[in-house]
């Protein structure tokens, strides 16, 4: 699914959360107290996988000590170019319109129609007044058409612009979270989850992963509590079906979790894989040949 198929705020949020994280490295971004386990409580338990992205300035600021001035300038330039291309038409200013209210983000992969996975985002709202001001600005945009419906007492906004063929949907849950996605059913499921239905946080295999703490400077975590189901879901939407033997092998991998954090020497990526106890795996350390490929 293209980023631009989400509503205008989602375009900016998705970019900030993933595609232009480098902007946080050198410019900073405000954060909130929402934890992975906390935000996961509004993600339906049907989700195959989820990624948590911190927008805490203290975490991202540690990267300012790394890299050359030229590299920092290059990242900053890339972000500004992106902002100009993606956000200028909607008149969205990241510093004024998004930073004041946008907290931590969780992006989840949900079952979609025709066996095609859909993306659902949950963004923690840290400042209600700023969020309302931003919403009012979007509604006043003549290029955006908004239609509201009610689902279990919560308003779902269907938003479409002149260039988007597929509408996007958004809902605010008790002024605490903004839920955004291109599948209305996923938004409805999130509302049900917020009102008490099982969540991604209550999945037995996901809870311990979400509770892990890998240090104060964690900037992102990736959770795959049921690896085989996720791969099967992605594979089913592919033009090349997955063979039964391949799926059987994948089922030996029970879950995966990845963490991106910042320590004293740089950006560190860590991963852990839980496999079937009956699966025999012979682990051999890999020689450090990859490092030799990096420029001096």
């Amino acid at each position: 699914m293209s980023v631009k198929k989400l509503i205008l705020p989602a375009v900016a949020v998705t970019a900030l959360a993933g595609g232009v994280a480098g902007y946080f490295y050198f410019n900073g971004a405000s954060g909130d107290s929402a934890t992975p386990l906390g935000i996961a409580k509004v993600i339906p338990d049907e989700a195959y996988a989820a990624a948590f992205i911190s927008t805490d300035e203290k975490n991202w600021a540690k990267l300012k000590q790394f890299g050359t001035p030229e590299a920092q300038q290059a990242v900053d330039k890339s972000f500004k170019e992106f902002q100009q291309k993606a956000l200028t038409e909607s008149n969205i200013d990241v510093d004024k319109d998004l930073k004041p209210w946008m907290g931590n983000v969780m992006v989840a992969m949900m079952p979609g129609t025709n066996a095609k996975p859909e993306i659902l985002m949950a963004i923690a709202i840290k400042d209600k007044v700023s969020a309302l001001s931003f919403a009012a600005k979007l509604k006043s945009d003549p290029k955006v058409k908004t239609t509201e419906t009610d689902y279990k007492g919560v308003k779902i906004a269907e938003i479409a612009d002149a260039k988007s063929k597929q509408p996007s949907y958004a809902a605010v849950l008790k002024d605490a979270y903004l839920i955004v996605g291109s599948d209305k059913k996923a938004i409805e499921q999130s509302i049900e989850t917020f009102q008490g239905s099982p969540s991604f946080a209550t999945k037995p295999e996901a809870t311990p992963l979400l509770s892990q703490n890998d240090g104060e400077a964690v900037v992102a975590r990736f959770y795959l509590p049921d690896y085989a189901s996720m791969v099967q879901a992605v594979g089913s939407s592919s033009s090349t079906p997955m063979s039964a033997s391949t799926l059987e092998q994948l089922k030996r991998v029970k879950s995966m979790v990845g963490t991106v954090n910042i320590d004293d020497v740089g950006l560190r990526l860590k991963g852990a894989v839980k496999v079937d106890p009956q699966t025999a795996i012979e682990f051999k350390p890999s020689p450090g040949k990859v490092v030799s490929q990096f420029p001096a």
Side-chain angles (χ1 to χ4, degrees):
M1 179 183 63
S2 171
V3 171
K4 289 191 176 182
K5 289 183 180 180
L6 295 178
I7 62 173
L8 295 177
V11 172
V13 170
T14 303
L16 286 173
V20 290
Y23 180 71
F24 291 129
Y25 296 0
F26 306 115
N27 293 277
S30 300
D32 74 339
S33 60
T35 63
L37 188 61
I39 300 184
K41 292 179 180 178
V42 300
I43 300 295
D45 68 339
E46 290 90 348
Y48 298 121
F52 170 85
I53 299 95
S54 168
T55 57
D56 194 324
E57 182 179 0
K58 296 190 300 293
N59 292 346
W60 291 102
K62 289 191 175 183
L63 279 182
K64 291 181 179 179
Q65 62 184 304
F66 307 116
T68 64
E70 292 79 11
Q72 297 179 11
Q73 292 174 7
V75 171
D76 191 43
K77 180 181 178 181
S78 296
F79 175 79
K80 289 180 179 178
E81 289 177 351
F82 165 82
Q83 184 176 357
Q84 184 176 7
K85 292 179 181 179
L87 306 181
T88 299
E89 291 185 3
S90 59
N91 197 29
I92 294 176
D93 184 281
V94 173
D95 291 317
K96 295 180 180 179
D97 296 326
L98 298 179
K99 279 189 180 182
W101 65 267
M102 193 186 82
N104 294 336
V105 179
M106 182 163 280
V107 183
M109 180 183 291
M110 297 286 297
T113 56
N114 300 321
K116 182 181 179 181
E118 295 283 353
I119 297 299
L120 175 72
M121 290 193 299
I123 304 114
I125 298 174
K126 64 184 179 183
D127 188 296
K128 301 176 185 178
V129 176
S130 297
L132 288 172
S133 177
F134 178 56
K137 180 176 180 177
L138 286 180
K139 286 185 177 181
S140 65
D141 190 333
K143 297 188 292 292
V144 178
K145 181 181 179 181
T146 304
T147 304
E148 290 187 344
T149 57
D150 184 273
Y151 185 77
K152 296 185 179 295
V154 178
K155 290 183 179 180
I156 298 178
E158 178 180 331
I159 304 177
D161 58 63
K163 293 185 177 181
S164 177
K165 296 181 180 180
Q166 179 181 356
S168 299
Y169 303 88
V172 176
L173 305 178
K174 292 292 185 181
D175 296 331
Y177 298 97
L178 170 65
I179 307 300
V180 181
S182 60
D183 183 13
K184 187 176 182 179
K185 181 180 178 181
I187 301 295
E188 294 174 347
Q189 289 175 317
S190 183
I191 293 172
E192 294 173 358
T193 299
F194 187 71
Q195 295 178 348
S197 294
S199 70
F200 191 75
T202 61
K203 293 168 74 81
E205 60 272 31
T207 302
L209 302 181
L210 292 163
S211 302
Q212 291 180 11
N213 188 351
D214 297 281
E216 296 181 354
V218 170
V219 293
R221 287 194 180 98
F222 307 90
Y223 307 96
L224 290 79
D226 190 344
Y227 178 75
S229 294
M230 187 211 69
V231 175
Q232 186 175 16
V234 174
S236 62
S237 62
S238 172
S239 57
T240 305
M242 187 177 300
S243 67
S245 60
T246 300
L247 181 60
E248 190 62 31
Q249 292 179 357
L250 291 174
K251 287 181 179 179
R252 298 175 184 177
V253 178
K254 296 304 181 182
S255 64
M256 297 178 66
V257 60
T259 300
V260 181
N261 68 328
I262 305 167
D263 58 22
D264 293 336
V265 296
L267 192 66
R268 186 180 299 275
L269 286 77
K270 296 187 293 183
V273 180
K274 183 178 180 181
V275 300
D276 189 324
Q278 304 300 319
T279 302
I281 298 179
E282 183 179 359
F283 175 77
K284 294 181 179 180
S286 176
K289 294 182 179 179
V290 176
V291 178
S292 64
Q293 303 302 314
F294 285 97

